[in-house]
């Protein structure tokens, strides 16, 4: 084999390896990770132990998860976990799937200390692949409401024939304004954008349109009763397109009401277009944003197709060059 032939084969091998690596890079560059809290569905009482789980997911296999979980240690107390250690308001989480998987669940046992609301939030989270490459750094949070064992309201009534007063214990079902006294939200606010439609305790689906510059939206709900238990799903960080958040309120009897807020972050910097979209009907807006959410997937498919075509053309060109060089080599030998 001549030196020229060896050189051609070496160049061909290098170009082929580089061409094959490009599509793989394009695919892995879009790896993402998510995290969701799952608190108990029923109200939590003081001195009661309860479990909170966190699900970490990705679009590829997870190798390990490292994170911190912050919680209000004046309302709840950390008891135990197989994947976390710490206390005093901060837990250190380290874990990995038992088998190759794109999803892993961790559980944490807490105990109610005193009545009130306790925020539990995921911080400094890193999801790694089996090759120790960073997949994502998601955030998530939930709110645990610790209530008393019994909710009572006392009213005093006076008889018309005597001055003697008697005290009775009653349970309210709905006040005079028509809003139930438990198991619902009496207010729902966002720190960016506006709810559409306007909030009402018996309206359960809302849309919030924000500009592309808005990357974080906090949601705050107010329950009808201090003993109501409230928890949130989703993350305050907003990606371009639809970001679905839910707020579930559970009363002391275990009756749950769920409110859904869809936050729509604009795909570009056109502020006028965003303001116009806010005035449209929520159903029309949801349809338009769904199309925007698919742009990235279409882009991936087009990119991979284009790369495949480039690779085929490159291989054909190299084959032609090799044939031409071999012809030149043979012609040179005949001349000799």
């Amino acid at each position: 084999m001549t030196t020229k032939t060896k050189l051609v084969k070496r160049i061909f091998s290098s170009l082929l390896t580089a061409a094959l690596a490009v599509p793989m890079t394009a695919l892995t560059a879009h790896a993402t990770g998510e995290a969701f809290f799952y608190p108990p569905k029923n109200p939590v009482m003081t001195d009661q132990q309860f479990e909170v789980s966190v699900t970490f997911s990705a679009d590829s296999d997870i190798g390990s998860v490292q994170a911190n979980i912050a919680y209000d240690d004046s309302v709840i107390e950390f008891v135990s976990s197989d994947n976390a250690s710490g206390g005093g308001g901060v837990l250190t989480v380290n874990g990995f799937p038992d088998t190759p998987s794109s999803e892993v669940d961790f559980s944490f046992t807490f105990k109610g200390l005193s009545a009130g609301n306790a925020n539990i939030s995921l911080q400094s989270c890193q999801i790694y692949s089996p090759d120790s490459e960073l997949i994502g750094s998601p955030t998530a949070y939930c709110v645990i409401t610790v209530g008393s064992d019994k909710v009572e309201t006392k009213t005093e009534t006076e008889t018309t024939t005597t001055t003697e007063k008697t005290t009775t214990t009653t349970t309210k079902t709905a006040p005079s304004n028509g809003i139930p006294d438990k198991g619902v939200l009496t207010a729902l606010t966002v720190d960016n954008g506006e709810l559409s439609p306007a909030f009402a305790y018996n309206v359960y689906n809302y849309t919030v349109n924000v500009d592309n510059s808005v990357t974080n939206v906090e949601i705050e709900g107010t329950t009808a009763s201090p003993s109501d238990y409230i928890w949130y799903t989703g993350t305050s960080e907003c990606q371009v397109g639809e970001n679905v958040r839910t707020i579930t309120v559970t009363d002391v009897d275990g009756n749950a009401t769920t409110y859904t807020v869809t936050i729509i972050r604009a795909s570009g910097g056109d502020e006028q277009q965003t303001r116009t979209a806010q005035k449209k009907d929520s159903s029309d807006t949801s349809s338009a944003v769904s199309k925007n959410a698919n742009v990235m997937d279409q882009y991936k498919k087009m990119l991979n197709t284009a790369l495949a075509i480039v690779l085929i053309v490159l291989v054909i060109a190299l084959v032609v060059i090799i044939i031409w060089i071999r012809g030149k080599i043979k012609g040179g030998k005949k001349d000799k």
Side-chain angles (χ1 to χ4, degrees):
M1 184 180 292
T2 65
T3 303
K4 290 183 178 180
T5 303
K6 290 181 180 179
L7 178 61
V8 170
K9 286 189 175 181
R10 200 174 292 123
I11 294 173
F12 174 76
S13 177
S14 299
L15 289 175
L16 183 59
T17 302
L20 289 173
V22 172
M24 294 302 296
T25 303
L27 288 173
T28 57
H30 297 285
T32 58
E34 295 180 323
F36 295 95
F37 275 104
Y38 293 95
K41 295 182 179 180
N42 295 320
V44 175
M45 306 304 172
T46 55
D47 295 326
Q48 174 190 348
Q49 290 192 3
F50 60 94
E51 189 174 274
V52 175
S53 63
V54 184
T55 297
F56 299 92
S57 61
D59 56 7
S60 60
D61 283 348
I62 295 175
S64 63
V65 175
Q66 299 176 8
N68 291 328
I69 291 181
Y71 63 95
D72 188 347
D73 62 346
S74 65
V75 180
I76 60 176
E77 177 184 14
F78 173 67
V79 177
S80 64
S81 174
D82 293 335
N83 303 101
S85 60
V90 179
L91 302 179
T92 299
V93 180
N94 279 291
F96 51 85
D98 295 330
T99 58
S101 175
S102 61
E103 186 173 287
V104 60
D105 298 316
F106 298 151
S107 296
F108 312 90
T109 301
F110 292 90
K111 182 177 75 172
L113 290 180
S114 60
N117 293 328
N119 290 313
I120 302 179
S121 60
L122 185 67
Q123 301 175 353
S124 304
C125 177
Q126 287 94 34
I127 302 177
Y128 293 98
S129 70
D131 298 328
S132 299
E133 295 182 359
L134 182 63
I135 295 177
S137 301
T139 60
Y141 75 99
C142 68
V143 177
I144 302 295
T145 300
V146 180
S148 58
D149 294 337
K150 189 176 182 181
V151 179
E152 294 182 343
T153 59
K154 293 184 177 181
T155 60
E156 291 186 346
T157 60
E158 185 174 358
T159 64
T160 57
T161 57
T162 66
T163 58
E164 182 182 358
K165 292 183 179 181
T166 60
T167 301
T168 60
T169 301
T170 61
T171 301
K172 292 184 179 180
T173 56
S176 58
N177 60 7
I179 301 177
D181 66 346
K182 62 182 179 180
V184 297
L185 291 180
T186 57
L188 181 62
T189 59
V190 292
D191 64 351
N192 278 298
E194 295 182 357
L195 291 175
S196 177
F199 175 78
Y201 80 92
N202 56 352
V203 176
Y204 308 110
N205 295 283
Y206 299 91
T207 300
V208 177
N209 289 284
V210 296
D211 296 331
N212 179 259
S213 59
V214 176
T215 59
N216 190 285
V217 176
E218 296 286 349
I219 295 177
E220 186 69 28
T222 303
T223 60
S225 171
S227 64
D228 286 339
Y229 167 81
I230 183 172
W231 63 283
Y232 305 79
T233 65
T235 173
S236 60
E237 292 186 356
C238 293
Q239 305 297 323
V240 172
E242 292 187 355
N243 301 265
V244 179
R245 308 275 293 280
T246 65
I247 306 95
T248 300
V249 183
T250 306
D251 64 20
V252 292
D253 299 321
N255 301 313
T257 303
T258 299
Y259 299 82
T260 301
V261 179
T262 302
I263 302 168
I264 303 173
R265 179 184 171 193
S267 59
D270 190 345
E271 305 300 328
Q272 181 62 36
Q273 181 179 1
T274 303
R275 287 192 291 269
T276 302
Q278 290 176 338
K279 299 179 182 179
K280 291 183 178 181
D281 183 78
S282 60
S283 62
D284 293 336
T285 304
S286 298
S287 176
V289 173
S290 296
K291 294 180 181 179
N292 290 334
N294 292 327
V295 169
M296 185 58 71
D297 290 336
Q298 294 175 359
Y299 170 75
K300 290 180 182 178
K301 293 178 181 178
M302 294 174 60
L303 178 62
N304 290 333
T305 301
L307 289 172
I309 294 173
V310 170
L311 176 60
I312 293 172
V313 172
L314 180 60
V315 171
I316 294 173
L318 288 173
V319 171
V320 172
I321 292 173
I322 292 172
I323 293 173
W324 179 79
I325 292 176
R326 286 181 174 177
K328 284 291 184 179
I329 293 173
K330 291 180 179 180
K333 289 182 178 179
K334 289 181 180 180
D335 293 340
K336 292 179 180 181

